Amino acid sequence: MTEPLLEVRDLTVEFRSGGAWHPAVRNVDLSIAPRETLAVVGESGSGKSVTALAVMGLVPAPAGRIAAGSSIRLSGRELVGLGERELDRVRGDRVAMIFQEPMTALNPTMTVGEQVAESVRAHRGLGAQAARREALRVLDLVKVPSAARRMDDYPHQFSGGMRQRVMIAMALACHPAVLLADEPTTALDVTIQAQVLSLVEDLKREHGLGVLFITHNLGVVALIADRVAVMYAGEVVETAPAAELFETPRHPYTEALLASMPRVDRDVGALEPIQGNVPSIREIGPGCAFAPRCAHAQARCRESRPRLEPEGAARSVRCWLRTASP
Amino acid sequence: MSAPAAVLPARGWTRRFRANPTSWLGVALIAAVVLAALLASTIWPLDPLEQNVAERLMAPTAAHPLGTDTFGRDVLARLLHAARISLLIGAFSIALAMTIGSAIGIAAGYLGGWFDAAVTSLLDVLLSFPTLLLGLMVVAMLGPSMGNLVIAIAITELAPFARVARAPTITLKGRDFVEAGRALGFSDLRLVVVHIIPNLLSEVVVVASLWLATAIRTEASLSFIGLGVKPPTATWGGMIREGFENILDAPWLALAPSLAILVTVLGLNLLGDGLRDAIDPRARRD
Amino acid sequence: MSAKPILSVEGLGKRFEVGGGLLRRPAQVHAVVDASFEVAERACLGLVGESGCGKSTLARCLLRLVEPDEGRIVFEGEDVRSLDGPALRRLRRRMQMVFQDPYASLNPRRTVRQTLAEPLVVHGLATGEAVDARVEAALAEVGLPPDSAPRFPHEFSGGQRQRIGIARALVLEPRFIVADEPVSALDVSVQAQVLKLLEALRERHGLSMLFVSHDLGVVRHVCDRVAVMYLGRVVEEAPVPDIFDRPLHPYTRMLRAASPVPDARARFSLPRVEGEIPSAMDPPGGCAFHPRCPSALARCAKERPALADLRGGHRVACFLHSPEAAP
Amino acid sequence: MGEFLLRRLALAVPTLLLAMTAVFLLARVVPGDPALVILGDQATQEALLALRVKLGLDRPLPAQYLDFLGGILRGDLGRSLITGKSVWAEVLAVIPYTLELTLAAIFLGVLFGVPLGVYAAVHRNALPDTLTRLFSLAGLSFPAFVSAVLLLLVFAIQLRWFPVISAPRAGDVLDHLRNLALPAANLGLIMTAYVTRVTRSSMLNVLGEDYVRTARAKGIGRRAVLWRHALRNALIPVATVVGLYLGTLIGNSVLTEIVFNRPGLGKLILGALNQRDYTLLQGLMVFFAGLIVLANAATDIAYGLIDPRVRYR
């Protein structure tokens, strides 16, 4: 296996609520190789967005913090503990991020061209003219039609899909090694989603990017992921190559999630809902976070928390039922 | 994965209000002023109207802690009694402005269409018109009296209330729970009274406390110009005016009522601010 | 079409005026144009399409939450558009709505009991203890504990709130439910709970339903027939198996192909989707889909195909499948 | 942009009409007889009648209304009852003083208020923020005449740095500034308090926006994000609110002019009030209404300049 571009080890992110710190992300391990898309899939409150923000050094202080012992390595360089100035040099240059709402994530009072050029100017120290030419090149790259004319338009003059292309252009302007995509297609219609997903895939292949793709949609995962990390209540509960995950889900949560999804390609008969609700970060007990909703939970699941154990060469799972049996 | 859309009355606002020390300062200042007004005669039993020409323009002494004015009246007694007038006029005019203004705003917001357009542009004019000049004009037309003062100040503050009530009405009208009410066959009256008004009341009340401060300021300004309650009744604005006329001989005359106004208005502003910070969902973003 | 329809809609149209002002003529948006369909007794019709296609407007027109401009809506033999006052109120007893956003669709200042009791009282269906009894029954029916009654909406999770919303629609014992994206704001794991609940309730009460959604997977699971909308028009309508396994309209095919499937064999089978959804303010002439259509003919740019009946209750508006179907 | 400008100005016309109508109604429909107010309770019936004829109050209301509007269309705001001079002449004679004062206040307010507001927002909930908030709230709590009297007491009477009566000699620039200083400081202080407050809350809103996070994700430094991304967006509501504040500002300048005994519109109004110069008062109201409506239009146009979304709508 090639040297990972991004390696997250034992990442814990806490938020202050009612005078106490609660972990929104707990002991997360992830890694991404060049030309690899790792999909992080989970429901609301699973901590997937917080994980990405932590990688960017954008966990909002003072309400949130990265706990001691966490490690985030980008091409071998430790990011946790870097100062703001050093982080600014990395952000947007070596690692970039695109967000869910392309409407609100762009500055309404700056033209699209200025916003793309801004990152180039910040990281490459280019002059206004050169930065503008570079911005045009990137906008062409992400297939914004007649980019030369449109780069002086403002974000509100673009459609949702085009805005997301602009976001991608901004992220890729400085040729980052890793792209973090936080539900970039959730706010888009399915036909537009398909276009944006193909764009990300093409760019990944052409530029050797590592992509961390966050989504709640298992269907999207199936389309784009090489590997998958399933998150629940702040933890990674299962990682697997995409094909194997859908074929043989190992964690009861993954299994239940697949069984509860209505599908467009075939009749599934009766759906099997997961009982109960996604827990908030303040109400997680000492045991497995999924135990209260798990159909197979045993006494031990409620008492102590399982570890993420490797299973074979490429998989791992956090479940007593899997690790206990040989 | 939509985050819970912030519903207008934020939960736990009382806790946030209590946690804010400046709101407490506001509460304390207002409580002090209200108590002083209520217990004026008990605290300082001198008659605010009793003239004593022999003792005019006296500097502060033990007998007259704040001195005496041009007619030899006790300034402290006048100050305490003036508090009643200021608070009464403020409270009545705000009650009037709040009731009528909110009703106009809610009607405009709910009905929409040309009615809303007409009301809104009228409000814009009224809102940007110099409050003081408007009050001045009304009192000049009606003649100065306490009732007219209340009306004049109420008129100057209709627009802010209408505006504050209108915006959330429009938001709430578009909310699914109001639409659900229509789908359930509820009447417009029921939708407004049961489903819309309770949800915007908190905002209106916050504005009321802030505009009460403005009302008291306007009343003082009108009195200062000479269009307030007729003498010899004591008002803070009137006292400053009298003090101002003797500012070279007896500067303390203007000082005491100035501070009284300042304390009252600051207290109300602190209180209103604290309330708004506690309730306004935008202010809660951390 | 099967059995006798409980609801039939003919030539329904709705225009909105947007923008405009003193010196500017407002633009007209044709949110719904010439929509016709029927919903059979005890059936569920799905209404799918992408944002701005007019599906939500159409749903609201049925209850007259939005006033249609033209066309006919007949519900249980009654002309809905001619109803007013008390008659309209009676209609809304028999036809109810479930909303998308479980956070916005409940009044935050009313307890669950108040929310559920209010429709009963307004319609004079129950008084005194009978109200409480029916509120309790409604809670039980949607799977909420009886002690939910005195609590406020913010004390519940999204899924539970959606149950309250469903209970509110059910207390009036309607015959027809209009559900506008009822599960799209919910977490995947909770979505199935609510879908199962709706299924059970339909069964138990013999409800008919119009189910609006952008999620084809959900529609396939819930509905019997599906109508596909594009820029205000129904472009295809057919029984579920036909729409999903033998779609005819190129737009339906594109939509079907772009809908992700949780199956790793689907990896990068992404269709080449052409262009973006045009603005509803300025829809293309001819067939509105022709600029994005991979198999557009010359005539598609000039003429608009009518919705034509093929065999087996499959209707489609496309020259490829019904060449004679000129307007 | 040209079209936007035209459209906005055209929009001012009906508003202006509405405002004029409001002034007219206020002057006529309000209970009470202007003639009686002007002449007092002791006036004879004949005198009252004569004044009513002179003011045109004997004619039917619609006719009066048309006369009134016609006059305004011709640019005629009427004549003063007392001096006989046209309202325009009276206004033009004193407006430079008021204009100077108001502009100085706005200048000071923006100069100090915007940086203070940004500073407070960035240090949210820390001590400097609390102090700034207290300062701005206190500044807003002073009725303009109270702060004016206090300034006068301290700087003119006690310290004697500035003249007590602010009536500058013509032609002497230094004297002019000395005379302007205290009144301008008074209004500027209140304005600063106001601008600080609005900037702070607007800035807090903007700092929570997604695009600020995007800018941070691009690796743009904190300072650049603040000035390039946040401030420009934060100033949009500030511009509107400052425009809306013009009414209050005019009211405050009236009080300030009275305290400092400075010529200007304030003293003109007060004089008209004291002398019951009913026609001058009405003319002044019309003048103010027009001024305000135009100022609002100007604010909106400024808004359009900063916010591209408004321009293209």
Side-chain angles (χ1 to χ4, degrees):
Chain A
M1 209 169 145
T2 31
E3 173 76 12
L5 288 173
L6 179 73
E7 187 156 35
V8 174
R9 284 285 160 259
D10 210 21
L11 175 69
T12 296
V13 183
E14 302 167 314
F15 283 89
R16 190 193 264 291
S17 165
W21 291 92
H22 298 275
V25 165
R26 295 186 295 169
N27 314 107
V28 163
D29 296 339
L30 298 170
S31 74
I32 301 172
R35 288 196 170 74
E36 182 183 52
T37 301
L38 172 71
V40 174
V41 62
E43 299 178 281
S44 56
S46 62
K48 55 195 192 302
S49 292
V50 175
T51 303
L53 287 177
V55 172
M56 294 298 288
L58 288 176
V59 172
R65 68 177 184 200
I66 295 178
S70 307
S71 159
I72 299 167
R73 284 176 171 273
L74 184 71
S75 311
R77 183 182 180 199
E78 181 61 54
L79 297 185
V80 174
L82 284 190
E84 280 294 318
R85 270 165 194 278
E86 289 151 307
L87 273 174
D88 274 337
R89 275 199 284 278
V90 177
R91 284 196 281 249
D93 190 25
R94 304 302 305 142
V95 53
M97 183 161 176
I98 56 178
F99 298 93
Q100 175 174 353
E101 289 288 341
M103 179 73 234
T104 54
L106 290 170
N107 186 336
T109 58
M110 275 169 86
T111 67
V112 156
E114 283 167 4
Q115 297 189 52
V116 179
E118 194 183 20
S119 4
V120 194
R121 297 188 67 173
H123 295 291
R124 296 279 175 274
L126 293 184
Q129 280 307 314
R132 194 181 151 84
R133 274 195 302 277
E134 188 61 17
L136 178 59
R137 190 189 63 77
V138 194
L139 284 170
D140 273 330
L141 188 75
V142 298
K143 303 193 182 72
V144 171
S146 41
R149 188 167 49 79
R150 300 222 60 190
M151 70 186 295
D152 293 318
D153 283 349
Y154 289 92
H156 69 274
Q157 293 164 289
F158 284 70
S159 68
M162 280 304 144
R163 284 192 203 117
Q164 199 54 283
R165 283 173 193 266
V166 171
M167 282 295 295
I168 296 172
M170 273 167 48
L172 296 187
C174 295
H175 310 289
V178 175
L179 175 70
L180 310 178
D182 186 3
E183 306 238 13
T185 59
T186 302
L188 305 176
D189 282 312
V190 282
T191 57
I192 308 302
Q193 165 170 284
Q195 294 174 341
V196 171
L197 292 180
S198 341
L199 175 68
V200 171
E201 175 66 16
D202 291 348
L203 293 169
K204 180 191 87 172
R205 256 187 247 156
E206 285 158 28
H207 299 273
L209 281 172
V211 177
L212 181 86
F213 196 103
I214 292 171
T215 180
H216 68 276
N217 187 331
L218 281 168
V220 171
V221 171
L223 281 176
I224 51 121
D226 300 302
R227 282 191 308 122
V228 187
V230 182
M231 285 188 75
Y232 184 80
E235 296 176 327
V236 173
V237 294
E238 175 165 12
T239 64
E244 292 179 34
L245 185 90
F246 292 105
E247 210 62 49
T248 52
R250 297 288 286 154
H251 196 281
Y253 173 63
T254 318
E255 211 173 1
L257 213 50
L258 283 167
S260 71
M261 264 187 82
R263 299 175 63 134
V264 71
D265 56 335
R266 60 168 193 250
D267 292 319
V268 290
L271 293 180
E272 292 167 39
I274 305 176
Q275 292 312 315
N277 297 291
V278 179
S280 91
I281 59 169
R282 298 177 62 172
E283 56 193 26
I284 293 166
C288 167
F290 187 61
R293 302 176 73 189
C294 182
H296 317 288
Q298 301 165 350
R300 154 180 213 193
C301 301
R302 293 182 201 95
E303 283 149 18
S304 68
R305 188 174 156 223
R307 291 158 50 100
L308 188 65
E309 301 281 0
E311 249 204 17
R315 304 190 64 165
S316 57
V317 62
R318 189 189 288 277
C319 179
W320 286 125
L321 304 172
R322 303 294 173 203
T323 47
S325 56
Chain B
M1 323 251 99
S2 59
V7 172
L8 292 176
R11 298 287 151 193
W13 67 270
T14 43
R15 184 175 50 74
R16 276 191 299 278
F17 181 79
R18 286 196 304 261
N20 186 351
T22 52
S23 342
W24 281 110
L25 182 59
V27 172
L29 292 179
I30 293 309
V33 173
V34 170
L35 274 179
L38 284 177
L39 306 174
S41 320
T42 323
I43 301 172
W44 193 247
L46 287 189
D47 182 351
L49 299 181
E50 194 186 286
Q51 304 189 359
N52 186 347
V53 187
E55 296 191 342
R56 55 191 297 268
L57 290 182
M58 275 175 47
T61 59
H64 303 288
L66 294 177
T68 60
D69 67 5
T70 27
F71 297 99
R73 295 174 296 201
D74 180 69
V75 172
L76 179 58
R78 287 182 70 70
L79 198 71
L80 292 173
H81 281 84
R84 290 184 177 179
I85 305 285
S86 290
L87 291 179
L88 270 183
I89 291 180
F92 274 115
S93 52
I94 282 299
L96 200 62
M98 184 165 88
T99 317
I100 299 175
S102 315
I104 293 173
I106 292 168
Y110 191 77
L111 296 175
W114 66 267
F115 178 73
D116 183 36
V119 169
T120 316
S121 45
L122 192 66
L123 288 181
D124 277 349
V125 175
L126 210 59
L127 200 65
S128 54
F129 212 77
T131 319
L132 185 66
L133 294 193
L134 201 61
L136 228 106
M137 190 79 183
V138 177
V139 182
M141 291 296 151
L142 296 175
S145 79
M146 209 155 132
N148 291 346
L149 218 53
V150 167
I151 293 173
I153 296 172
I155 288 177
T156 64
E157 305 206 336
L158 279 181
F161 280 105
R163 193 176 215 197
V164 162
R166 177 180 167 270
T169 305
I170 292 175
T171 317
L172 290 166
K173 190 177 79 166
R175 288 295 272 277
D176 281 351
F177 70 80
V178 174
E179 184 115 313
R182 290 213 290 140
L184 288 162
F186 298 169
S187 64
D188 287 334
L189 186 68
R190 170 173 277 272
L191 288 177
V192 169
V193 173
V194 178
H195 294 276
I196 291 184
I197 291 183
N199 280 304
L200 55 78
L201 213 55
S202 55
E203 265 179 79
V204 172
V205 169
V206 168
V207 170
S209 69
L210 289 171
W211 281 89
L212 180 54
T214 308
I216 288 176
R217 245 171 30 194
T218 307
E219 184 271 328
S221 303
L222 288 173
S223 298
F224 178 72
I225 292 174
L227 283 173
V229 180
K230 279 187 178 146
T233 310
T235 64
W236 289 335
M239 289 172 71
I240 297 179
R241 175 196 175 84
E242 288 161 18
F244 182 57
E245 284 160 4
N246 298 293
I247 196 156
L248 295 174
D249 309 322
W252 61 86
L253 281 189
L255 207 59
S258 293
L259 292 180
I261 291 176
L262 188 64
V263 164
T264 312
V265 176
L266 182 64
L268 283 170
N269 277 338
L270 285 172
L271 181 71
D273 236 30
L275 278 176
R276 200 189 38 196
D277 276 359
I279 288 173
D280 186 353
R282 274 172 312 167
R284 283 183 295 127
R285 197 185 266 160
D286 280 299
Chain C
M1 216 153 278
S2 60
K4 77 172 175 105
I6 185 169
L7 175 82
S8 73
V9 173
E10 250 179 71
L12 193 74
K14 174 68 193 174
R15 290 180 297 276
F16 288 112
E17 297 200 330
V18 295
L22 199 64
L23 295 178
R24 225 180 220 201
R25 191 174 304 164
Q28 290 236 323
V29 172
H30 294 263
V32 179
V33 190
D34 194 21
S36 304
F37 57 84
E38 288 179 349
V39 181
E41 191 88 47
R42 289 172 172 256
C44 175
L45 175 70
L47 200 55
V48 303
E50 295 177 283
S51 55
C53 73
K55 55 190 192 298
S56 270
T57 306
L58 176 50
R60 282 167 161 74
C61 279
L62 300 182
L63 275 146
R64 300 251 317 265
L65 292 172
V66 169
E67 283 299 335
D69 293 318
E70 58 208 17
R72 255 166 76 84
I73 305 168
V74 179
F75 178 65
E76 293 191 311
E78 216 172 2
D79 180 1
V80 170
R81 286 194 64 202
S82 69
L83 301 180
D84 56 356
L88 184 59
R89 217 151 60 135
R90 278 198 301 280
L91 165 82
R92 287 174 177 173
R93 229 183 84 189
R94 289 173 293 142
M95 195 194 276
Q96 266 303 309
M97 184 144 177
V98 175
F99 292 84
Q100 169 175 6
D101 185 345
Y103 292 92
S105 62
L106 298 174
N107 187 339
R109 295 191 166 266
R110 310 274 285 170
T111 62
V112 172
R113 176 184 287 118
Q114 285 173 319
T115 298
L116 298 186
E118 197 176 10
L120 292 171
V121 174
V122 166
H123 286 272
L125 294 181
T127 49
E129 286 180 8
V131 175
D132 283 346
R134 287 184 67 164
V135 166
E136 238 169 78
L139 285 175
E141 194 148 54
V142 297
L144 287 172
D147 67 359
S148 310
R151 290 157 65 194
F152 286 94
H154 70 95
E155 300 173 54
F156 296 88
S157 70
Q160 290 170 321
R161 285 181 199 219
Q162 200 55 300
R163 289 172 192 267
I164 300 170
I166 292 168
R168 175 180 57 188
L170 281 180
V171 282
L172 292 179
E173 298 180 344
R175 307 263 297 116
F176 193 96
I177 299 267
V178 176
D180 186 7
E181 306 258 12
V183 296
S184 50
L186 303 178
D187 272 318
V188 190
S189 68
V190 175
Q191 187 173 301
Q193 298 173 5
V194 173
L195 289 177
K196 262 197 110 94
L197 173 65
L198 281 174
E199 223 171 323
L201 292 171
R202 253 186 75 203
E203 191 78 5
R204 201 178 312 149
H205 296 280
L207 293 170
S208 317
M209 186 150 77
L210 181 81
F211 191 95
V212 180
S213 179
H214 68 275
D215 185 332
L216 292 191
V218 170
V219 167
R220 172 169 201 150
H221 185 76
V222 173
C223 303
D224 312 307
R225 291 180 67 82
V226 182
V228 181
M229 285 183 81
Y230 188 72
L231 285 178
R233 291 174 186 273
V234 175
V235 294
E236 183 165 8
E237 199 227 325
V240 158
D242 286 357
I243 284 280
F244 287 93
D245 300 330
R246 291 175 292 282
L248 293 180
H249 198 285
Y251 176 62
T252 314
R253 290 183 181 176
M254 183 189 278
L255 207 56
R256 164 74 179 75
S259 297
V261 171
D263 186 336
R265 277 163 300 187
R267 192 175 145 85
F268 289 114
S269 58
L270 276 175
R272 283 291 148 184
V273 176
E274 290 296 320
E276 303 207 302
I277 307 165
S279 157
M281 261 183 255
D282 185 21
C287 170
F289 188 61
H290 83 263
R292 304 175 73 193
C293 183
S295 28
L297 311 167
R299 87 188 271 207
C300 298
K302 296 183 218 101
E303 299 168 56
R304 181 182 307 118
L307 197 60
D309 269 305
L310 310 180
R311 68 221 137 3
H314 197 139
R315 302 196 300 159
V316 63
C318 180
F319 290 127
L320 298 171
H321 302 285
S322 50
E324 69 287 355
Chain D
M1 191 66 213
E3 194 207 338
F4 164 73
L5 219 121
L6 269 181
R7 250 189 306 139
R8 185 56 191 86
L9 284 178
L11 210 66
V13 175
T15 317
L16 206 57
L17 188 71
L18 214 62
M20 296 306 153
T21 310
V23 170
F24 176 81
L25 289 179
L26 196 63
R28 310 296 149 108
V29 179
V30 156
D33 177 0
L36 197 67
V37 173
I38 294 166
L39 295 178
D41 297 343
Q42 275 80 45
T44 60
Q45 280 305 317
E46 292 77 47
L48 284 174
L49 204 64
L51 185 62
R52 279 193 204 116
V53 173
K54 187 176 171 197
L55 295 176
L57 294 176
D58 55 332
R59 311 191 29 227
L61 215 58
Q64 288 185 41
Y65 180 58
L66 287 181
D67 271 4
F68 171 79
L69 285 185
I72 292 172
L73 268 184
R74 289 191 306 275
D76 178 9
L77 301 185
R79 289 180 173 280
S80 160
L81 263 184
I82 310 290
T83 63
K85 285 199 255 176
S86 82
V87 172
W88 272 119
E90 298 274 9
V91 167
L92 286 179
V94 295
I95 201 152
Y97 295 100
T98 303
L99 210 59
E100 171 188 71
L101 187 59
T102 339
L103 288 180
I106 294 177
F107 174 74
L108 291 175
V110 173
L111 185 70
F112 294 112
V114 170
L116 258 178
V118 172
Y119 179 76
V122 172
H123 299 268
R124 165 155 214 214
N125 289 338
L127 188 66
D129 177 34
T130 310
L131 289 181
T132 313
R133 284 179 68 193
L134 273 177
F135 153 75
S136 62
L137 214 51
L140 286 175
S141 301
F142 275 111
F145 68 98
V146 171
S147 49
V149 167
L150 294 181
L151 282 177
L152 195 71
L153 261 175
V154 175
F155 292 102
I157 295 173
Q158 293 296 323
L159 298 172
R160 292 175 189 280
W161 289 356
F162 299 99
V164 175
I165 291 176
S166 164
R169 288 187 297 273
D172 185 341
V173 177
L174 205 67
D175 185 54
H176 195 86
L177 286 180
R178 252 166 60 84
N179 278 290
L180 181 62
L182 275 188
N186 182 44
L187 287 184
L189 213 64
I190 300 174
M191 193 78 193
T192 303
Y194 190 68
V195 173
T196 303
R197 202 174 145 79
V198 177
T199 308
R200 174 183 178 272
S201 73
S202 171
M203 199 68 186
L204 279 179
N205 281 336
V206 169
L207 286 177
E209 293 285 350
D210 284 355
Y211 56 79
V212 170
R213 188 180 59 185
T214 306
R216 303 281 293 140
K218 278 198 282 184
I220 310 297
R222 197 177 276 279
R223 195 172 287 249
V225 168
L226 204 61
W227 296 109
R228 207 174 321 148
H229 288 267
L231 186 61
R232 181 166 173 170
N233 285 289
L235 283 183
I236 293 170
V238 174
T240 327
V241 173
V242 168
L244 268 178
Y245 188 67
L246 199 71
T248 313
L249 185 61
I250 290 174
N252 284 345
S253 69
V254 168
L255 290 167
T256 307
E257 282 167 6
I258 293 168
V259 171
F260 291 100
N261 205 359
R262 189 185 146 86
L265 287 173
K267 282 191 69 181
L268 190 64
I269 292 171
L270 197 65
L273 269 175
N274 288 339
Q275 298 179 305
R276 300 168 192 271
D277 193 340
Y278 174 81
T279 48
L280 178 57
L281 215 52
Q282 179 182 303
L284 284 174
M285 289 298 278
V286 171
F287 173 76
F288 275 122
L291 190 71
I292 296 290
V293 171
L294 287 182
N296 280 354
T299 312
D300 275 7
I301 289 167
Y303 201 114
L305 287 177
I306 334 180
D307 189 347
R309 283 166 298 186
V310 176
R311 222 181 304 153
Y312 292 100
R313 195 159 54 201

